[in-house]
Amino acid sequence: MSHTRSFLDPFIVARHPQLEPEVKRVILASWASDRSAVEGQPALRRPPGASSPVPVDDVMAALRWLDRAEHGAGNRHISPGSETRQ
């Protein structure tokens, strides 16, 4: 998928104003997949085209943030990254 090469941070994907929620989910799910796992470092994922890995916890937090934003919690109440970057 060409969208996955455009992003380096899961929260940028989750907040992107021009992507449909379904597209955001596909991108983030592909990052969370074992196919993107860094060999010998199961807590890290390397998205296609990324120069450095991202923590799988950040990918999962971005998916949770997207769920909340879609179900009425609204962006003003939830800060992307706050779950893992306190």
Side-chain angles (χ1 to χ4, degrees):
M1 165 176 269
S2 63
H3 288 298
T4 59
R5 297 179 192 270
S6 304
F7 304 105
L8 301 177
D9 182 281
F11 297 100
I12 292 173
V13 174
R15 293 184 303 224
H16 198 284
Q18 296 173 333
L19 294 176
E20 295 293 325
E22 300 81 24
V23 173
K24 294 175 184 182
R25 284 188 195 297
V26 168
I27 293 169
L28 293 170
S30 74
W31 289 14
S33 164
D34 286 341
R35 288 177 287 150
S36 295
V38 175
E39 188 174 337
Q41 298 180 350
L44 297 176
R45 298 294 187 263
R46 186 178 304 274
S51 59
S52 61
V54 297
V56 71
D57 288 344
D58 283 1
V59 176
M60 299 309 291
L63 281 164
R64 287 189 297 273
W65 179 86
L66 185 58
D67 285 343
R68 290 187 202 132
E70 284 185 309
H71 293 105
N75 294 347
R76 60 190 166 89
H77 294 109
I78 302 168
S79 173
S82 63
E83 294 184 37
T84 58
R85 299 176 191 166
Q86 295 179 0

